[in-house]
Amino acid sequence: GESVGLHLPTLSVQEGDNSIINCAYSNSASDYFIWYKQESGKGPQFIIDIRSNMDKRQGQRVTVLLNKTVKHLSLQIAATQPGDSAVYFCAETFQGAQKLVFGQGTRLTINP
Amino acid sequence: DVKVTQSSRYLVKRTGEKVFLECVQDMDHENMFWYRQDPGLGLRLIYFSYDVKMKEKGDIPEGYSVSREKKERFSLILESASTNQTSMYLCASSPTDRVEKLFFGSGTQLSVL
């Protein structure tokens, strides 16, 4: 059976540095990947997405990289700010699916 | 501003009680979802609905049921609450053509004693 209360992976960075949050996925059929940000006391919020026909996509201060060969996804946050403190989730889906599958999440902590 | 509203932020219930968690969205979305969130396990899908009166089991439906009588409202029901259902419950909605872009409520922290 499943257990609860497992330790959440944590990443600590200095304010102003760049952050890289990694995610591994397992379903080779997945062709659409998304990052969500969850601030304390709130529900997750969509940040950025990428389709499998791309290997990089940029947003405002965020970049998502996709490596399909090793089934790896990363979220890069430039010049990390205190407001970036949150839990970040990757999610995957495929065409025709009606649901997302989420990763376990990574807690990003910003040091002043 | 678009909104997904969950009726309670915190709930405390006793083992064996029937529990209703309510969720309302104002975006006219077809899809609605219930997830539970436990540290280190991410978000796990309990049930979802892609239309009124339609429901589909997610990955962990045991011990739960749902109701969708109106498009804007999706209810999660714990028929007989147990301590292992203590968790954060998150409701979300999305339009039919953008299932990946979920809009989440703020969550209900349920404690079953």
Side-chain angles (χ1 to χ4, degrees), chain B residues 22-37:
Chain B
E22 307 287 346
C23 175
V24 177
Q25 51 99 359
D26 64 1
M27 295 165 281
D28 200 36
H29 285 166
E30 291 79 13
N31 301 321
M32 295 190 75
F33 305 81
W34 276 106
Y35 287 88
R36 69 175 276 177
Q37 181 177 14

Side-chain angles (χ1 to χ4, degrees), chain B residues 51-70:
Chain B
D51 202 352
V52 175
K53 297 194 185 295
M54 305 299 289
K55 60 183 180 183
E56 295 283 344
K57 292 181 179 179
D59 301 314
I60 52 165
E62 297 78 17
Y64 304 94
S65 62
V66 290
S67 172
R68 190 147 181 221
E69 296 296 318
K70 293 183 178 181

Side-chain angles (χ1 to χ4, degrees), chain A residues 52-84:
Chain A
S52 59
N53 61 354
M54 304 170 69
D55 53 20
K56 180 179 180 178
R57 190 168 187 213
Q58 288 185 291
Q60 187 177 13
R61 273 200 315 117
V62 295
T63 300
V64 56
L65 299 178
L66 175 63
N67 185 330
K68 295 181 287 295
T69 303
V70 296
K71 298 194 187 71
H72 184 267
L73 189 67
S74 69
L75 178 71
Q76 300 180 2
I77 304 173
T80 311
Q81 303 169 358
D84 296 326

Side-chain angles (χ1 to χ4, degrees), chain A residues 93-108:
Chain A
T93 189
F94 55 89
Q95 191 171 4
Q98 291 178 299
K99 60 179 183 177
L100 299 181
V101 176
F102 283 84
Q104 64 180 128
T106 296
R107 183 181 302 280
L108 177 64

